[in-house]
Amino acid sequence: MTQPGVPTVESRSVTEPVMRQPLTLTARVPRSTLGFPPSNGPLRITLNGEPYELDEPISVADLLSRLSIDSRRVAVEHNLLILKRQRFADTPVENGDRIEIVNFVGGG
């Protein structure tokens, strides 16, 4: 049974007739649009294997800017996951995070 205004998904099986089920839609909202939670002191992270402190919550993009690093020339690993460059601005740096920044170097 469908509800008015609720999209449905059609699924088929060899042994089952066509069934209609409600579809649940989930939207992901970047955390940067929601704001970062207030900090109760310095944030302690591990940056390239070394302890590093931040005064306030910031994004990965802000961290790169603070370190004077051109985001176009680096790869960033955040808690063992490689971040896509488009996610730098909406990925928060939180207490206890592990961040590795690898700089691309040209030459031969």
Side-chain angles (χ1 to χ4, degrees), residues 57-102:
I58 61 175
S59 68
V60 169
D62 293 334
L63 176 63
L64 294 174
S65 178
R66 181 176 289 185
L67 298 170
S68 300
I69 296 174
D70 184 350
S71 64
R72 298 171 298 174
R73 299 182 48 85
V74 296
V76 177
E77 178 185 287
H78 179 254
N79 295 328
L80 303 177
L81 297 173
I82 303 297
L83 288 179
K84 292 186 178 184
R85 192 165 288 108
Q86 302 90 327
R87 299 290 316 269
F88 288 179
D90 65 355
T91 300
V93 177
E94 298 174 338
N95 200 35
D97 281 357
R98 299 183 62 83
I99 297 177
E100 295 288 328
I101 301 171
V102 180

Side-chain angles (χ1 to χ4, degrees), residues 6 9 12 24-25 33 37 42 55 77 80 93 99 107:
V6 177
V9 173
R12 288 187 184 199
T24 303
L25 301 175
T33 62
D55 297 332
E77 178 185 287
L80 303 177
V93 177
I99 297 177

Side-chain angles (χ1 to χ4, degrees), residues 15 38-39 56-57 64 72:
T15 59
S39 175
E56 60 188 1
L64 294 174
R72 298 171 298 174

